[in-house]
Amino acid sequence: MLHPDLLASLQKLCRRHERFLVVSHVRPDGDAYGSTLGLALSLRAMGKDVLVVNADGLSPLFEFLPGSESLTATLPGAPEPDRLILAVDCADAKRLGAAFDQWQRQPDVNIDHHVSNPGYAKLNLIDADSPATAQVLYEIISALKWPLTPEVAANLYVGIMTDTGNFRYRQTTAQTFETAARLVSAGADPTDLAEACYQSFRAERLLLIGEVFKAIHFASRNRVAWFCLTPEMYALSGALPDETEGLIEYLQSVKSVEVAFLLEWLPDGLTRASMRSRGKVDVQRICQEFGGGGHRLAAGLRTKLAPAALETRLLDLIAKQLPE
């Protein structure tokens, strides 16, 4: 739960200012998009002037979200000095993207749920016990009596649904279901939104899954599973990088797997890793070794190490935490 003083400070900021910019992390997921758009739409419903920006723009996978047409990838220049910058669902300011770095502005507000978030804004509202930033935003909107329109509710519902793995992950609590129920009462359609998220993929994604299945590796008596996404896989399948969302869950579906991870070589020369754990291994601690972060059960990183070298290091760090 957020401290009342933090909520009061946010309310004062909102009352004193009319112009805002909402931004989230690169390679945005459902919680990043849902939180960004949900907050922006609520502020707009109060008559505020709100820009919505993400360094990677809008993924076609999330075009169904209300308000998504207003999200842009770039701005002509730095935002005006009187336009407050609100960062959501971003554990590290560096992950807001290169354009943000050029603005040379500290975010005014940081709303997040990642335990690794150091609190990089002037005002930080972080609830590490929450399974999604969208749930934190629902608490804020509810407590401050901000507008909760059907469009806001739909975005927040998608944020919660996707970051909890469709309400399956460990941090899902009774409060999560209560929040989801209130969002449905406010106008979020759980059937339509679930279909849009999980049953509206292109055929190319299925072809990519076929390539991934050929590249799965197991270690430590099948307690560790991983694969590496390569440019060749994208070329053979015709899939887009956005269409990798959720692929790691196929590894987690194997009963014996305690830790799953994927690696991907990125065009900028870095290697991305995404990690998941059932609980015996703290993957956030592992990712912090490389400057990454997240949660004990789900974390990620980017590094200059080549995929093969990173794979070796991750397997070694996992082995040190896995019980015999």
Side-chain angles (χ1 to χ4, degrees):
M1 297 291 291
L2 296 170
H3 195 281
D5 289 349
L6 294 174
L7 293 169
S9 296
L10 180 61
Q11 185 78 302
K12 288 177 184 177
L13 276 177
C14 184
R15 286 173 175 165
R16 288 203 310 262
H17 293 81
E18 294 300 319
R19 303 207 286 180
F20 299 83
L21 182 147
V22 186
V23 62
S24 188
H25 60 78
V26 296
R27 290 292 290 258
D29 55 8
D31 193 20
Y33 280 127
S35 296
T36 299
L37 293 169
L39 175 57
L41 289 171
S42 186
L43 289 170
R44 284 175 183 160
M46 289 188 279
K48 306 295 184 180
D49 175 355
V50 187
L51 298 178
V52 187
V53 177
N54 188 282
D56 287 334
L58 177 66
S59 165
L61 298 178
F62 291 96
E63 288 178 344
F64 68 90
L65 288 174
S68 61
E69 70 283 351
S70 68
L71 189 149
T72 61
T74 57
L75 290 176
E80 309 91 329
D82 67 334
R83 188 178 293 276
L84 294 191
I85 298 176
L86 313 180
V88 298
D89 194 46
C90 187
D92 186 339
K94 292 183 293 185
R95 296 206 67 217
L96 293 172
F100 172 80
D101 287 340
Q102 294 172 4
W103 299 344
Q104 296 186 332
R105 287 266 306 272
Q106 180 185 14
D108 297 282
V109 179
N110 166 23
I111 302 173
D112 192 24
H113 75 122
H114 295 96
V115 68
S116 60
N117 193 314
Y120 51 79
K122 297 173 184 175
L123 176 63
N124 300 283
L125 296 92
I126 302 167
D127 183 357
D129 293 326
S130 182
T133 297
Q135 184 168 315
V136 181
L137 278 168
Y138 172 79
E139 294 175 17
I140 291 171
I141 289 170
S142 178
L144 301 184
K145 295 181 171 33
W146 288 1
L148 183 62
T149 65
E151 294 75 21
V152 173
N155 275 290
L156 297 185
Y157 185 92
V158 167
I160 295 171
M161 177 174 63
T162 54
D163 239 31
T164 59
N166 210 4
F167 305 99
R168 292 182 292 114
Y169 295 160
R170 181 65 61 188
Q171 278 189 294
T172 306
T173 64
Q175 183 184 356
T176 308
F177 286 107
E178 290 166 4
T179 299
R182 293 186 183 115
L183 292 172
V184 171
S185 295
D189 187 317
T191 303
D192 286 351
L193 294 174
E195 182 176 340
C197 282
Y198 301 114
Q199 294 179 309
S200 300
F201 297 120
R202 300 191 311 144
E204 287 81 357
R205 174 182 159 92
L206 193 60
L207 295 174
L208 176 63
I209 291 171
E211 296 300 319
V212 165
F213 278 9
K214 299 174 190 176
I216 293 174
H217 302 277
F218 292 93
S220 300
R221 304 194 305 278
N222 293 340
R223 293 183 297 166
V224 181
W226 74 97
F227 61 83
C228 183
L229 290 164
T230 66
E232 291 75 20
M233 289 179 177
Y234 289 119
L236 287 168
S237 65
L240 303 171
D242 291 340
E243 293 174 306
T244 64
E245 184 70 25
L247 294 190
I248 197 171
E249 293 183 10
Y250 288 103
L251 303 181
Q252 293 177 283
S253 69
V254 178
K255 185 176 182 179
S256 61
V257 171
E258 289 289 343
V259 182
F261 66 90
L262 70 82
L263 304 175
E264 181 179 9
W265 179 86
L266 300 175
D268 58 8
L270 299 179
T271 301
R272 175 177 78 96
S274 181
M275 304 189 72
R276 300 289 185 272
S277 170
R278 289 189 191 269
K280 293 180 179 177
V281 173
D282 184 345
V283 292
Q284 188 225 199
R285 201 170 88 196
I286 291 174
C287 288
Q288 282 184 321
E289 297 263 346
F290 305 89
H295 302 283
R296 177 182 175 82
L297 303 183
L301 66 93
R302 293 185 180 210
T303 176
K304 293 180 180 179
L305 287 176
L310 180 59
E311 175 185 299
T312 300
R313 287 281 292 125
L314 291 180
L315 289 172
D316 179 58
L317 291 168
I318 291 168
K320 289 178 180 177
Q321 288 195 46
L322 266 180
E324 291 297 328

